[in-house]
Amino acid sequence: MVSRNTLAVLSSAAAILTALAGCAPADEASPSAGASASASGPACAPGALATRTAGKLTIGTDNPAYEPWFSDNKPANGKGFESAVAYQVAERLGYPAANVVWTNVTFNNAIAPGPKTFDFDINQFSITPERRKAVDFSSPYYLVRQTVITTKGSKIAGVKTLAELKSAKLGAQVGTTSYQAINELIKPGAKAQVFNNNDDAKAALENGQVDGIVVDLPTAFYMTAAELDNGVIVGQLPQVGVPEQFGLVLDLGSPLTDCVSRAVDQLRQDGTLAVLEKQWLAGTGGAPELS
């Protein structure tokens, strides 16, 4: 998974960085400071859950951990959307930053059947029925939009509709919702090209092998601003059915699942998730919707 805050995003978000300083792993007040107890209940005693290590909350993620989900490949610094979300969830569960422990877990290992080395893992995991057979998911903390990107001068750089993309050569990472979106939403005349990862897809775009590639919106912001020469966002694809959702992963049948979901729900309801999206993912600015 590549992703991935752009310099432009960082600049636009600068105005609210101070307001969200509490999302970093520090003991300072945050937008939800003092609210950890509100996530408590009969089985959710703050700071006293049935975690792997008593009094500690172990959070997993992959290495490297990419922007804009994380920053500088340092999940523990509280910077980046998912790092900030993780610390907010921990706070609601009654675990201050000092009691949070990070562990490296590959994407595939995190969602594979079997015991886990973490209490929850955050790594852009899409919630799917198939994965639910192997792991538990929290309530969703992010609703994903798929986005077409290209480079300046490309024949699709200025298109406004899905119909204008039908003649384009498009590609995406294998096994992803991005690839599915090409086939089910755009339905191009030429078969969509498949790549092992987003880095390969990006290289194909730079080499002119494809006219555009499809990635999730946060990745689109990062690639077009920081990784591609003259990269541009063509636009967001429509949502079809239930939007793709990112959820925290827990061990199947974990006693923490309900408590973690309650914490995520509170972050959504009080607006914290929306604020973090604006800070780290730049909302949907600069990414028009394709109709």
mmCIF file of all heavy atoms in Angstrom, residues 70-98:
data_model
loop_
_atom_site.group_PDB
_atom_site.id
_atom_site.type_symbol
_atom_site.label_atom_id
_atom_site.label_comp_id
_atom_site.label_asym_id
_atom_site.label_seq_id
_atom_site.Cartn_x
_atom_site.Cartn_y
_atom_site.Cartn_z
ATOM 1 N N PHE A 70 1.051 8.038 7.473
ATOM 2 C CA PHE A 70 2.062 8.240 8.512
ATOM 3 C C PHE A 70 3.047 9.272 7.995
ATOM 4 O O PHE A 70 2.937 9.735 6.860
ATOM 5 C CB PHE A 70 2.761 6.916 8.840
ATOM 6 C CG PHE A 70 1.819 5.863 9.352
ATOM 7 C CD1 PHE A 70 1.219 4.958 8.479
ATOM 8 C CD2 PHE A 70 1.510 5.789 10.698
ATOM 9 C CE1 PHE A 70 0.332 3.998 8.936
ATOM 10 C CE2 PHE A 70 0.620 4.834 11.173
ATOM 11 C CZ PHE A 70 0.030 3.933 10.294
ATOM 12 N N SER A 71 4.007 9.629 8.800
ATOM 13 C CA SER A 71 4.981 10.641 8.387
ATOM 14 C C SER A 71 6.385 10.188 8.748
ATOM 15 O O SER A 71 6.631 9.715 9.871
ATOM 16 C CB SER A 71 4.677 11.977 9.084
ATOM 17 O OG SER A 71 5.605 12.970 8.705
ATOM 18 N N ASP A 72 7.299 10.306 7.785
ATOM 19 C CA ASP A 72 8.713 9.965 7.999
ATOM 20 C C ASP A 72 8.912 8.508 8.414
ATOM 21 O O ASP A 72 9.903 8.185 9.072
ATOM 22 C CB ASP A 72 9.338 10.891 9.053
ATOM 23 C CG ASP A 72 9.343 12.345 8.626
ATOM 24 O OD1 ASP A 72 9.485 12.614 7.413
ATOM 25 O OD2 ASP A 72 9.165 13.212 9.498
ATOM 26 N N ASN A 73 7.956 7.645 8.060
ATOM 27 C CA ASN A 73 8.039 6.223 8.409
ATOM 28 C C ASN A 73 8.194 6.025 9.916
ATOM 29 O O ASN A 73 8.889 5.117 10.380
ATOM 30 C CB ASN A 73 9.189 5.532 7.662
ATOM 31 C CG ASN A 73 9.099 4.018 7.720
ATOM 32 O OD1 ASN A 73 8.020 3.453 7.854
ATOM 33 N ND2 ASN A 73 10.242 3.356 7.628
ATOM 34 N N LYS A 74 7.524 6.893 10.678
ATOM 35 C CA LYS A 74 7.592 6.825 12.138
ATOM 36 C C LYS A 74 6.172 6.848 12.709
ATOM 37 O O LYS A 74 5.653 7.907 13.070
ATOM 38 C CB LYS A 74 8.402 7.995 12.702
ATOM 39 C CG LYS A 74 9.864 8.004 12.258
ATOM 40 C CD LYS A 74 10.589 9.230 12.791
ATOM 41 C CE LYS A 74 12.046 9.250 12.348
ATOM 42 N NZ LYS A 74 12.752 10.475 12.832
ATOM 43 N N PRO A 75 5.527 5.694 12.787
ATOM 44 C CA PRO A 75 4.149 5.652 13.275
ATOM 45 C C PRO A 75 3.963 6.272 14.657
ATOM 46 O O PRO A 75 2.899 6.810 14.969
ATOM 47 C CB PRO A 75 3.832 4.149 13.303
ATOM 48 C CG PRO A 75 4.757 3.555 12.292
ATOM 49 C CD PRO A 75 6.020 4.363 12.389
ATOM 50 N N ALA A 76 4.996 6.198 15.483
ATOM 51 C CA ALA A 76 4.866 6.668 16.863
ATOM 52 C C ALA A 76 4.901 8.181 17.006
ATOM 53 O O ALA A 76 4.690 8.692 18.114
ATOM 54 C CB ALA A 76 5.980 6.056 17.726
ATOM 55 N N ASN A 77 5.142 8.918 15.908
ATOM 56 C CA ASN A 77 5.247 10.371 16.056
ATOM 57 C C ASN A 77 3.895 11.084 16.027
ATOM 58 O O ASN A 77 3.832 12.305 16.200
ATOM 59 C CB ASN A 77 6.196 10.976 15.017
ATOM 60 C CG ASN A 77 5.692 10.852 13.594
ATOM 61 O OD1 ASN A 77 4.537 10.520 13.341
ATOM 62 N ND2 ASN A 77 6.585 11.112 12.627
ATOM 63 N N GLY A 78 2.796 10.345 15.808
ATOM 64 C CA GLY A 78 1.477 10.964 15.838
ATOM 65 C C GLY A 78 1.140 11.773 14.612
ATOM 66 O O GLY A 78 0.091 12.417 14.559
ATOM 67 N N LYS A 79 2.007 11.748 13.610
ATOM 68 C CA LYS A 79 1.781 12.541 12.401
ATOM 69 C C LYS A 79 1.317 11.641 11.259
ATOM 70 O O LYS A 79 1.786 10.510 11.137
ATOM 71 C CB LYS A 79 3.058 13.273 12.006
ATOM 72 C CG LYS A 79 3.556 14.251 13.058
ATOM 73 C CD LYS A 79 4.854 14.915 12.623
ATOM 74 C CE LYS A 79 5.371 15.883 13.674
ATOM 75 N NZ LYS A 79 6.662 16.526 13.264
ATOM 76 N N GLY A 80 0.445 12.181 10.417
ATOM 77 C CA GLY A 80 -0.176 11.387 9.380
ATOM 78 C C GLY A 80 -1.553 10.950 9.841
ATOM 79 O O GLY A 80 -1.815 10.822 11.047
ATOM 80 N N PHE A 81 -2.453 10.737 8.894
ATOM 81 C CA PHE A 81 -3.845 10.471 9.237
ATOM 82 C C PHE A 81 -4.011 9.256 10.130
ATOM 83 O O PHE A 81 -4.671 9.322 11.171
ATOM 84 C CB PHE A 81 -4.658 10.294 7.948
ATOM 85 C CG PHE A 81 -6.106 9.990 8.182
ATOM 86 C CD1 PHE A 81 -6.943 10.927 8.762
ATOM 87 C CD2 PHE A 81 -6.640 8.761 7.827
ATOM 88 C CE1 PHE A 81 -8.283 10.653 8.988
ATOM 89 C CE2 PHE A 81 -7.978 8.472 8.043
ATOM 90 C CZ PHE A 81 -8.797 9.420 8.625
ATOM 91 N N GLU A 82 -3.415 8.134 9.757
ATOM 92 C CA GLU A 82 -3.644 6.919 10.533
ATOM 93 C C GLU A 82 -2.941 6.934 11.879
ATOM 94 O O GLU A 82 -3.465 6.398 12.865
ATOM 95 C CB GLU A 82 -3.262 5.686 9.721
ATOM 96 C CG GLU A 82 -4.236 5.450 8.569
ATOM 97 C CD GLU A 82 -4.076 4.100 7.920
ATOM 98 O OE1 GLU A 82 -2.927 3.607 7.826
ATOM 99 O OE2 GLU A 82 -5.087 3.546 7.477
ATOM 100 N N SER A 83 -1.772 7.525 11.950
ATOM 101 C CA SER A 83 -1.113 7.648 13.243
ATOM 102 C C SER A 83 -1.955 8.502 14.182
ATOM 103 O O SER A 83 -2.156 8.152 15.357
ATOM 104 C CB SER A 83 0.283 8.267 13.081
ATOM 105 O OG SER A 83 0.922 8.388 14.337
ATOM 106 N N ALA A 84 -2.475 9.619 13.662
ATOM 107 C CA ALA A 84 -3.308 10.497 14.483
ATOM 108 C C ALA A 84 -4.587 9.792 14.920
ATOM 109 O O ALA A 84 -5.016 9.904 16.071
ATOM 110 C CB ALA A 84 -3.635 11.774 13.711
ATOM 111 N N VAL A 85 -5.206 9.056 13.995
ATOM 112 C CA VAL A 85 -6.416 8.305 14.339
ATOM 113 C C VAL A 85 -6.110 7.272 15.420
ATOM 114 O O VAL A 85 -6.859 7.119 16.389
ATOM 115 C CB VAL A 85 -7.011 7.615 13.096
ATOM 116 C CG1 VAL A 85 -8.085 6.600 13.503
ATOM 117 C CG2 VAL A 85 -7.608 8.647 12.139
ATOM 118 N N ALA A 86 -4.992 6.560 15.260
ATOM 119 C CA ALA A 86 -4.633 5.525 16.231
ATOM 120 C C ALA A 86 -4.488 6.106 17.633
ATOM 121 O O ALA A 86 -4.975 5.527 18.621
ATOM 122 C CB ALA A 86 -3.331 4.850 15.804
ATOM 123 N N TYR A 87 -3.829 7.261 17.751
ATOM 124 C CA TYR A 87 -3.652 7.858 19.073
ATOM 125 C C TYR A 87 -4.968 8.375 19.640
ATOM 126 O O TYR A 87 -5.187 8.346 20.862
ATOM 127 C CB TYR A 87 -2.612 8.977 19.011
ATOM 128 C CG TYR A 87 -1.200 8.447 19.095
ATOM 129 C CD1 TYR A 87 -0.354 8.482 17.991
ATOM 130 C CD2 TYR A 87 -0.712 7.881 20.274
ATOM 131 C CE1 TYR A 87 0.942 7.985 18.053
ATOM 132 C CE2 TYR A 87 0.573 7.378 20.355
ATOM 133 C CZ TYR A 87 1.398 7.436 19.244
ATOM 134 O OH TYR A 87 2.677 6.924 19.309
ATOM 135 N N GLN A 88 -5.851 8.855 18.756
ATOM 136 C CA GLN A 88 -7.156 9.297 19.231
ATOM 137 C C GLN A 88 -7.970 8.117 19.754
ATOM 138 O O GLN A 88 -8.638 8.214 20.784
ATOM 139 C CB GLN A 88 -7.906 10.018 18.116
ATOM 140 C CG GLN A 88 -7.377 11.410 17.798
ATOM 141 C CD GLN A 88 -7.712 12.410 18.888
ATOM 142 O OE1 GLN A 88 -8.727 12.286 19.561
ATOM 143 N NE2 GLN A 88 -6.857 13.398 19.074
ATOM 144 N N VAL A 89 -7.936 6.993 19.040
ATOM 145 C CA VAL A 89 -8.633 5.793 19.511
ATOM 146 C C VAL A 89 -8.055 5.340 20.849
ATOM 147 O O VAL A 89 -8.788 5.016 21.789
ATOM 148 C CB VAL A 89 -8.534 4.659 18.467
ATOM 149 C CG1 VAL A 89 -9.048 3.332 19.049
ATOM 150 C CG2 VAL A 89 -9.312 5.017 17.209
ATOM 151 N N ALA A 90 -6.721 5.322 20.928
ATOM 152 C CA ALA A 90 -6.073 4.919 22.178
ATOM 153 C C ALA A 90 -6.523 5.801 23.336
ATOM 154 O O ALA A 90 -6.820 5.315 24.436
ATOM 155 C CB ALA A 90 -4.551 4.991 22.015
ATOM 156 N N GLU A 91 -6.591 7.099 23.084
ATOM 157 C CA GLU A 91 -7.010 8.024 24.137
ATOM 158 C C GLU A 91 -8.422 7.729 24.596
ATOM 159 O O GLU A 91 -8.710 7.715 25.801
ATOM 160 C CB GLU A 91 -6.916 9.460 23.619
ATOM 161 C CG GLU A 91 -7.300 10.510 24.657
ATOM 162 C CD GLU A 91 -7.206 11.912 24.110
ATOM 163 O OE1 GLU A 91 -6.387 12.147 23.207
ATOM 164 O OE2 GLU A 91 -7.978 12.771 24.581
ATOM 165 N N ARG A 92 -9.316 7.468 23.639
ATOM 166 C CA ARG A 92 -10.703 7.162 24.001
ATOM 167 C C ARG A 92 -10.802 5.865 24.795
ATOM 168 O O ARG A 92 -11.737 5.679 25.579
ATOM 169 C CB ARG A 92 -11.579 7.066 22.742
ATOM 170 C CG ARG A 92 -11.681 8.359 21.939
ATOM 171 C CD ARG A 92 -12.221 9.504 22.769
ATOM 172 N NE ARG A 92 -12.158 10.754 22.044
ATOM 173 C CZ ARG A 92 -13.186 11.288 21.368
ATOM 174 N NH1 ARG A 92 -14.331 10.653 21.320
ATOM 175 N NH2 ARG A 92 -13.038 12.426 20.745
ATOM 176 N N LEU A 93 -9.860 4.975 24.585
ATOM 177 C CA LEU A 93 -9.843 3.706 25.324
ATOM 178 C C LEU A 93 -9.149 3.833 26.675
ATOM 179 O O LEU A 93 -9.110 2.875 27.454
ATOM 180 C CB LEU A 93 -9.139 2.630 24.493
ATOM 181 C CG LEU A 93 -9.829 2.228 23.188
ATOM 182 C CD1 LEU A 93 -8.959 1.253 22.412
ATOM 183 C CD2 LEU A 93 -11.195 1.625 23.452
ATOM 184 N N GLY A 94 -8.592 5.009 26.936
ATOM 185 C CA GLY A 94 -7.957 5.241 28.224
ATOM 186 C C GLY A 94 -6.468 4.988 28.245
ATOM 187 O O GLY A 94 -5.883 4.832 29.318
ATOM 188 N N TYR A 95 -5.840 4.977 27.045
ATOM 189 C CA TYR A 95 -4.394 4.738 26.969
ATOM 190 C C TYR A 95 -3.701 5.988 26.425
ATOM 191 O O TYR A 95 -3.785 6.269 25.225
ATOM 192 C CB TYR A 95 -4.089 3.537 26.075
ATOM 193 C CG TYR A 95 -4.610 2.241 26.641
ATOM 194 C CD1 TYR A 95 -5.909 1.830 26.383
ATOM 195 C CD2 TYR A 95 -3.814 1.444 27.460
ATOM 196 C CE1 TYR A 95 -6.418 0.650 26.920
ATOM 197 C CE2 TYR A 95 -4.305 0.261 28.000
ATOM 198 C CZ TYR A 95 -5.616 -0.123 27.724
ATOM 199 O OH TYR A 95 -6.108 -1.287 28.264
ATOM 200 N N PRO A 96 -3.025 6.741 27.274
ATOM 201 C CA PRO A 96 -2.285 7.911 26.791
ATOM 202 C C PRO A 96 -1.131 7.456 25.910
ATOM 203 O O PRO A 96 -0.764 6.281 25.862
ATOM 204 C CB PRO A 96 -1.788 8.565 28.079
ATOM 205 C CG PRO A 96 -1.703 7.441 29.058
ATOM 206 C CD PRO A 96 -2.845 6.522 28.722
ATOM 207 N N ALA A 97 -0.547 8.392 25.198
ATOM 208 C CA ALA A 97 0.530 8.064 24.255
ATOM 209 C C ALA A 97 1.664 7.279 24.907
ATOM 210 O O ALA A 97 2.258 6.397 24.287
ATOM 211 C CB ALA A 97 1.071 9.350 23.626
ATOM 212 N N ALA A 98 1.953 7.597 26.153
ATOM 213 C CA ALA A 98 3.052 6.918 26.846
ATOM 214 C C ALA A 98 2.786 5.423 27.026
ATOM 215 O O ALA A 98 3.716 4.645 27.230
ATOM 216 C CB ALA A 98 3.299 7.566 28.209
#
